[in-house]
Amino acid sequence: MEHIEVVNRPTTLKDLKKSLGFIGDPDFGYYRHCEEPVSYKRLPTEIELLAPGGDIDSIKAAIAAGADAIYCGLNKFNARNRATNINFEELSGVLNLAHKNNCKVFLTLNILITGSEIPALIKLLNKLVNTSIDGVIIQDIGLFYLLSKYFKGLEIHASTQLNTHNEGQIKFLSKLSADRVNLSRELNLDEIKALALAGHKNNIQTEVFVHGSYCICFSGLCYMSSVHGGNSGNRGRCSQPCRDRYLTTPEGKDFPLNLKDNSAYSNLRELSEAGVDSVKIEGRIKDFYYVYSVVNCWKKQIRSFYDQNRLNNDNYDFYNDNDDLYKVFNRDFSNSYLKGDINKDMYIDSPRDNSIRQLSEIDNYQTNKKMEENRISFNEEKAETTSIVQNKIKQLSIAKSPLTISVSGKFGTPLKISVKTLDSSFSVLSETNMLSAGPYTLNRPPLNHDFLLKRLRALNDTAYYIKRIELENLQSDLFISYKEITSIKKRIFSVLNGSKKFIDPIDVPFLNKQSTPDITPALSVLISSQKDLHLCDKTSTDIFYQLPNCFKNEYPGVIDLFFKNRKIIPWFPSVLIGENYTAAVNFLKQVQPELIVTNNTGIAYEACKKSIPWIAGPFLNIVNSFSLLCLKENFNSYGSFISNEISRNQIKSIIKPENFKLYYSIYHPISLMTSRQCLHQQVIGCEKSSIDEDCIQKCQKSSSIINLNKIPLFIKKSKGNYHCIYNNNNFLNTDIVTDFSDVFASFFIDLRDIKTETRIGMDKSGIIELFEQLLNGDHDSKNELKQMIHPSSNAQYTKGI
């Protein structure tokens, strides 16, 4: 366990707590807002303000407004494709500018990585380890594996796309060397506090989104944009169909999935007391004016809070002037997730900017004339502020500093390279003496301008660039080994990069395909109703049984069900929060199943710990070989589903580990999203204004919304589960059976009772029999299945991500 060291330690624990603001239990608590100097490996004295940077101007605006850290993306491998982003050449300048202003920079590499992209990714990582980047934000499990095994110099932050909401997920990420995790946006303060404490126990920081757009879906579980247009949210291409207009619902709503924006401006004290290490502002597609305004407003709030706290002011009245938050793009604000009050007032029936209308209401200008006057005044003020911000960011430069390199020496002496920057100079000597070059050969080139520029050009990847190489004091026709020049380059790099040692490029071992014997893939089936248990008696097929999100209330019945039906295999959902996760872990302990499928990494961690064989479910979004290797080597996984988002060609690049089984879903209702919010409120309405425990446990409703292309989307709320939206047509992919007959150990079909436009022309036993015939090579069964299950789609198998 880490020890806390306090200078001028008070005489009693009570005095210590009082003076330092103790949070947490005696063994794992920590201290915040300290008057006394406190050292703790993971925790800053004050909560970090983390700002978005979509382009150079936004990055500068965040720095000018006082951000403690910025997250930004390169033009590849990041989850905001619509942002301008920066290129690698600009990154060094950004790092230099930020670090001069005591601001950290975290790079977003937070998308799923396909197999064909791995070489380019490794090339990028080899460059990043030789920058001063403060951390990388990632989603892909394969990337976790690469970083934790080969690129240990990079700090790892788990993206919100991993939807972290329980303690087991924290432990899973800790085992993958995560240093920080961005928690699920749907959590309340009590849930956040529990996870922050779990994080600190496992040496992990936590951050929470406190301002900007809310997603209505749990992050990482939204396939709406992917299915309807081929723009995967897991690849940073989300086209935000949840913000679209739909045909007017029975409740009279045109934008039934549109939430207000998130603002926890009044919850800073609670977040700090919960142990959150960083508060994060969303907005990498927003402009510099937005970024400056929001960061500046939040910085005032944080400074005011800590200034008052240092004065031991227990009656601290928060800085309440949040007008600036209303002056930039917003859809009105809500903090209802944080408060644990998920209600219909979180919705707003318009996705457009509400700033002028809101300011008019705040100022009690209710007439159109007054609103127009307010609009003119608002635009004039905005123009003035924009000009002020522009002047501030003009004074900030990301330009690299020039290097003048002077090379000197003669035969029989060491080579001397002197480096001069704008504000310093230093020299480096070779460890061996120079020799005569003699006749030119490729292995014995003379020391000249072109040779030196080529060998030293890696210095251009720092915050500097080589402006000039001077050779006036270098004797001609001399030679020194490549090894010596490389050593000199590394020493120069280390001085320029703050004494950071240069890391040689790492060659990640190439994965070879294993020769596999011819196999006949098995069939596996998912059910969720006890009335379908008879299927266990009619087939030797593996039967998976869907477990509920609300596990704690269903626990006794679920335990009884699995003790009475030992043939069924537990299928764990993606979301298990708080006591529901605890109940799921207790289920594992009590039932001790022979095999499970889990879509939740917290359950995967516990299964590994308890030596229960487990299969990674389809919603863990596995798309590359290194993810499979990670699951097998780090968590002893028995097998894994391959994501249905990827195409035939993308599947071809996947290499499975030895003694590891691959699964693929060839038939299922297509889940578009899962939400903690009530999706029926805006569609068919509800007598309740807020969701309570009874809603999750007892509510069972279906409804639908229809987009402007006249395509219906089906909303389903079943007992014990969160709200889900399903596509109009189910997924059916019979082609993969012949395309990859020697790759997959099992093909999967989902026979839960989920109503869509797809109609099934026979009972479930008949459908199972048809799929079994397909797997046994009966070609006629393919056409018969398409006739029996109609209409259907396999567009994702064609398009991929």
Side-chain angles (χ1 to χ4, degrees), residues 355-371:
S355 53
I356 295 173
R357 179 175 294 277
Q358 285 173 310
L359 288 170
S360 296
E361 291 174 359
I362 290 170
D363 293 336
N364 294 317
Y365 295 152
Q366 301 298 329
T367 67
N368 289 336
K369 180 180 178 182
K370 288 292 186 182
M371 188 178 292

Side-chain angles (χ1 to χ4, degrees), residues 160 164 170 181-185 187 192 195-196 206-209:
T160 189
T164 304
I170 297 280
V181 58
N182 183 269
L183 299 179
S184 170
R185 304 182 206 214
L187 301 178
I192 289 170
L195 292 183
T206 52
E207 66 184 29
V208 173
F209 272 109

Side-chain angles (χ1 to χ4, degrees), residues 443-697:
N443 294 324
R444 200 177 176 90
L447 281 170
N448 57 32
H449 183 277
D450 291 345
F451 173 80
L452 289 165
L453 181 61
K454 182 178 180 180
R455 304 307 296 177
L456 298 176
R457 65 185 176 187
L459 299 177
N460 291 326
D461 289 336
T462 65
Y464 302 87
Y465 72 96
I466 299 173
K467 181 180 180 182
R468 186 167 64 252
I469 296 179
E470 298 174 344
L471 304 176
E472 287 81 359
N473 296 316
L474 178 68
Q475 183 180 324
S476 60
D477 296 323
L478 294 178
F479 162 79
I480 198 163
S481 68
Y482 285 111
K483 182 179 179 182
E484 274 288 4
I485 287 290
T486 301
S487 175
I488 289 172
K489 176 190 70 177
K490 291 179 179 179
R491 283 182 279 159
I492 294 172
F493 174 91
S494 179
V495 174
L496 295 177
N497 212 23
S499 299
K500 182 177 180 180
K501 184 179 178 182
F502 184 88
I503 300 173
D504 289 318
I506 296 168
D507 292 324
V508 176
F510 183 77
L511 301 180
N512 295 312
K513 283 199 173 184
Q514 307 291 328
S515 58
T516 55
D518 291 337
I519 57 171
T520 300
L523 185 71
S524 50
V525 179
L526 178 64
I527 60 174
S528 60
S529 173
Q530 294 189 38
K531 68 181 176 60
D532 290 329
L533 289 172
H534 69 278
L535 296 173
C536 297
D537 302 324
K538 297 182 179 180
T539 178
S540 59
T541 297
D542 284 341
I543 303 292
F544 302 132
Y545 195 95
Q546 169 81 55
L547 296 170
N549 297 117
C550 188
F551 215 105
K552 63 176 183 178
N553 294 319
E554 302 289 327
Y555 183 74
V558 169
I559 291 287
D560 186 57
L561 172 69
F562 277 85
F563 275 136
K564 288 180 178 177
N565 300 273
R566 300 301 298 191
K567 287 180 67 176
I568 56 176
I569 298 168
W571 176 286
F572 287 86
S574 298
V575 182
L576 290 164
I577 299 173
E579 293 178 353
N580 293 310
Y581 167 72
T582 303
V585 173
N586 289 336
F587 168 89
L588 287 178
K589 189 184 303 182
Q590 190 166 348
V591 174
Q592 284 291 314
E594 294 181 5
L595 178 68
I596 68 167
V597 180
T598 179
N599 294 284
N600 187 284
T601 55
I603 295 298
Y605 175 86
E606 288 295 331
C608 174
K609 184 179 173 183
K610 293 175 171 56
S611 299
I612 297 172
W614 67 279
I615 300 167
F619 296 108
L620 288 186
N621 296 324
I622 302 302
V623 301
N624 62 60
S625 307
F626 285 102
S627 293
L628 299 176
L629 205 57
C630 178
L631 297 178
K632 184 176 188 295
E633 289 186 6
N634 292 57
F635 301 99
N636 198 29
S637 176
Y638 172 85
S640 175
F641 277 80
I642 298 302
S643 171
N644 279 98
E645 273 204 280
I646 61 175
S647 68
R648 175 192 285 110
N649 289 333
Q650 289 165 338
I651 292 174
K652 284 180 181 177
S653 69
I654 291 179
I655 300 170
K656 76 179 183 69
E658 199 170 356
N659 300 319
F660 191 85
K661 296 183 182 296
L662 294 187
Y663 294 75
Y664 184 86
S665 176
I666 55 176
Y667 171 68
H668 57 265
I670 301 174
S671 173
L672 298 180
M673 68 166 62
T674 302
S675 180
R676 204 175 188 183
Q677 181 48 279
C678 175
L679 300 178
H680 295 301
Q681 285 277 14
Q682 302 292 89
V683 182
I684 56 176
C686 180
E687 66 275 7
K688 292 182 178 181
S689 60
S690 299
I691 292 180
D692 56 27
E693 283 294 324
D694 277 355
C695 296
I696 302 298
Q697 186 178 355

Side-chain angles (χ1 to χ4, degrees), residues 255-310:
F255 299 90
L257 303 179
N258 192 60
L259 290 179
K260 293 176 181 177
D261 287 348
N262 170 27
S263 184
Y265 192 73
S266 62
N267 302 107
L268 180 58
R269 178 188 289 279
E270 294 99 317
L271 289 166
S272 178
E273 291 175 350
V276 171
D277 298 289
S278 178
V279 289
K280 188 172 187 177
I281 296 167
E282 184 273 340
R284 279 199 290 135
I285 60 173
K286 302 292 200 305
D287 63 18
F288 70 88
Y289 174 78
Y290 175 94
V291 171
Y292 181 87
S293 300
V294 176
V295 173
N296 185 52
C297 197
W298 266 93
K299 192 65 177 181
K300 289 177 182 177
Q301 181 76 309
I302 290 171
R303 281 176 178 157
S304 180
F305 173 56
Y306 285 110
D307 285 346
Q308 292 291 328
N309 208 74
R310 277 187 280 270

Side-chain angles (χ1 to χ4, degrees), residues 520-521 737 769-779 781:
T520 300
V737 176
E769 187 176 337
L770 265 182
F771 274 108
E772 288 177 331
Q773 291 172 10
L774 174 69
L775 299 191
N776 288 323
D778 183 348
H779 298 295
S781 59

